[in-house]
Amino acid sequence: QVQLVESGGALVQTGGSLRLSCAASGRAFSSYAMGWFRQAPGKERDFVAAISWSGDTSYYADSVKGRFTISRDNAKNTVYLQMNSLKPEDTAVYYCAVRRRDTSYGYGVASSYAYWGQGTQVTVSS
């Protein structure tokens, strides 16, 4: 079992920045790929970014490329999402998740992730 706790969500103005953190406990965190998803009210949960277990490879949704950066510190069992140039359409609850090892689905597919945090609210005002 893996427990995930997100933090860092806040109310920020358009153009501002935030850094989300996701602290993991339980199984060997460093051996799992991790992802960030987001869900706006009335919408489905969408992929934001993912990172390989080693941190060498990252993936991004087109909507956040060039603005968001995912990273991880395996010594601290933590994955981060640095969000810059925030827009009102980035407003959502952000979730981190642990990717399954035995999946053939792509990094952007929610069902390829086994464990989820409770989410942290990000609100971008215009």
Side-chain angles (χ1 to χ4, degrees), residues 8 22 31 44 48 62 83 89 95 100 104 114 119 122:
C22 173
S31 62
E44 295 186 353
V48 176
D62 288 342
M83 306 187 294
E89 51 263 43
Y95 300 89
R100 302 177 191 275
S104 59
V122 172

Side-chain angles (χ1 to χ4, degrees), residues 5 8 23 28 30 40 79 98 103 110 114 116:
V5 178
S30 61
V79 63
V98 177
T103 180
W116 296 80

Side-chain angles (χ1 to χ4, degrees), residues 15-54:
S17 298
L18 283 175
R19 188 176 82 154
L20 305 184
S21 299
C22 173
S25 61
R27 291 183 178 178
F29 168 81
S30 61
S31 62
Y32 289 88
M34 300 290 295
W36 284 97
F37 285 73
R38 66 187 181 186
Q39 188 167 19
K43 295 188 177 182
E44 295 186 353
R45 191 168 296 189
D46 291 331
F47 170 72
V48 176
I51 189 167
S52 63
W53 67 270
S54 65

